[in-house]
Amino acid sequence: ADMTVWKVALNGQEPAKGKADALVTLVWFTDFQCPFCSRVQPTIEQLEKDYGDKLRIVFKNLPLDFHKNAMGAAEAALCAHQQGKFWEMEKHLYENQQQLEPGQLPDQAKAVGVDAAKWQKCMDSHQTKDAIAKDMATAEKIKATGTPAFFINGRKLSGARPVEDFKKMIDQELAKADAGQVPVITGENLDNAEELVFSDPHIKATPKRDSAGQIDPNKFVVSIAADCPEGLYEARVVTRLGISSSRVFSVGTLPEVTRTASNTTLATAME
């Protein structure tokens, strides 16, 4: 299985189901005109039922260029979101995927009970296009080029997969959380360090210890504040011989970036 973990930027404005502190977050990039996306929609509903509070589902739009009605449908759904009707609209659009022409969208919105005048005003102003553009830019950064694309705690799963494929990955992430796994900096370039001190207060690192309580050289448990910006950070490395040197670490920019239930990210030693 691909263990690469991508950092999927969330802005907090996306349609979402589930608790913000759920152990597993599933981010879904989708296109309302994509037949594979509509096929997998019931699977997502099943996962929601099966995992309850352990799973958070976040929706992101990725309308593809060759689907001429996808952008309009994405706008329609987000305009419904402004009235608290996103998930009703999302399901209705997938169930009526052959009726996504611009002239058909008002009837789709009325069918889920939105205030038609407010919804139409939102559509006419195209005020949701900026949010859609941001979702598309995020998708490009993490190489999500087709739909549907899923990121489960940052691990990528593509296509209309069977529910078992999703459950396997979700269960793996839950097992990590249950085992108390935490982000760890590791790397031979740490020169058997026993101390790692970051100058930035957002980041703290403590030595990782083995089952006998002994320090495991080159490995550090990392705590990074949720509001820590991505970028490069300098730290002082102190070896068991008392030799001090500097290293530069990247936060949020390498494939090993991960996320824990406490919304921290992993800093990875750069060679």
Side-chain angles (χ1 to χ4, degrees), residues 6-43:
W6 299 88
K7 181 168 184 178
V8 184
L10 301 179
N11 57 43
Q13 303 303 310
E14 301 94 346
K17 289 182 178 182
K19 296 170 64 175
D21 61 351
L23 295 175
V24 177
T25 295
L26 184 154
V27 182
W28 178 14
F29 287 85
T30 188
D31 171 319
F32 282 107
Q33 204 175 342
C34 162
F36 300 103
C37 297
S38 61
R39 189 182 304 172
V40 80
Q41 199 267 349
T43 299

Side-chain angles (χ1 to χ4, degrees), residues 15 28-38 41 59-64 67 69-78 86-100 105 132 147:
W28 178 14
F29 287 85
T30 188
D31 171 319
F32 282 107
Q33 204 175 342
C34 162
F36 300 103
C37 297
S38 61
Q41 199 267 349
F59 186 101
K60 279 187 170 291
N61 281 291
L62 184 55
L64 303 176
H67 287 155
N69 293 324
M71 177 61 80
E75 290 185 76
L78 289 188
F86 175 81
W87 295 106
E88 293 89 340
M89 188 67 163
E90 178 252 3
K91 185 174 182 178
H92 189 74
L93 290 174
Y94 280 132
E95 290 175 347
N96 296 273
Q97 208 167 33
Q98 305 308 313
Q99 301 175 46
L100 301 181
L105 291 174
I132 296 169
T147 57

Side-chain angles (χ1 to χ4, degrees), residues 5 41 57 71 125 144 160 195 199 234 236 250:
V5 182
Q41 199 267 349
I57 298 169
M71 177 61 80
S125 67
E195 188 177 1
S199 56
E234 188 171 4
R236 180 167 55 87
S250 170

Side-chain angles (χ1 to χ4, degrees), residues 46-65:
Q46 185 62 48
L47 294 172
E48 182 187 357
K49 292 176 183 176
D50 290 348
Y51 288 98
D53 288 344
K54 293 180 179 180
L55 179 66
R56 183 178 185 228
I57 298 169
V58 180
F59 186 101
K60 279 187 170 291
N61 281 291
L62 184 55
L64 303 176
D65 291 342

Side-chain angles (χ1 to χ4, degrees), residues 7 224 229-231 250-254 257 265-268:
K7 181 168 184 178
I224 304 177
E230 293 186 2
S250 170
V251 174
T253 56
L254 296 181
V257 170
T265 53
L266 173 64
T268 305

